[in-house]
Amino acid sequence: MTLPFEVGVVVRDLASMERFYCEVIGCRPERRSRVPESVGGPAGLGGELEVVWLGVPSGGRVKLIRPRSAPVEVPAAAWSAGRPGLSYLTFHVDDTDPVVARLTAAGARPSRTPSWYPRTAAGISFWADPEGNVVELVDRRGGRPRQGHSN
């Protein structure tokens, strides 16, 4: 591999999703591009796209992809690790409390009850981004969680 890992997320509202991943999760914009129909079509990407690459502070990138025409609405299925396909994005943080405070201020709600695993000293919580994609926060600070993070 020559560059950090990237994951692509197709979005309806590029500006809103960029704000969420930067202001709430802590990513930073690195690059923007418009992919023309002449490239996006033959590549199987559905035509013209806008793309924003957001750097994750620990490495890697979240690539937000906005097709020229609105993405097809898919009925929301309940999230489950039991179904195949991409399930969630995981962000490892030193302390989930500030991130949880930003999530709560942004109107986000946990999609699962937060859990704390004493054996691995990890707190784990799952949240939904503004378009319903599931985000996992992993807190490895080694102490019991604060702000209602409990098993």
Side-chain angles (χ1 to χ4, degrees), residues 46-130:
E48 185 177 320
L49 311 164
E50 287 180 76
V51 183
V52 176
W53 285 261
L54 304 175
V56 176
S58 59
R61 291 181 188 87
V62 174
K63 192 170 30 178
L64 301 178
I65 304 161
R66 169 67 171 107
R68 179 175 164 185
S69 55
V72 175
E73 290 292 328
V74 176
W79 174 81
S80 168
R83 74 180 165 108
L86 180 64
S87 292
Y88 53 87
L89 303 175
T90 301
F91 296 94
H92 294 264
V93 297
D94 291 332
D95 183 352
T96 56
D97 290 340
V99 182
V100 167
R102 291 190 301 268
L103 284 162
T104 303
R109 298 283 179 255
S111 59
R112 295 284 180 267
T113 302
S115 300
W116 190 258
Y117 299 94
R119 187 169 151 244
T120 60
I124 298 173
S125 61
F126 291 91
W127 299 78
D129 74 15

Side-chain angles (χ1 to χ4, degrees), residues 2 9 23-24 28-29 40 59 90 94 96 110 117 141 148-151:
T2 59
V9 179
E23 295 173 7
V24 175
R28 65 191 177 285
T90 301
D94 291 332
T96 56
Y117 299 94
R141 74 181 136 194
H149 296 248
S150 60
N151 217 2

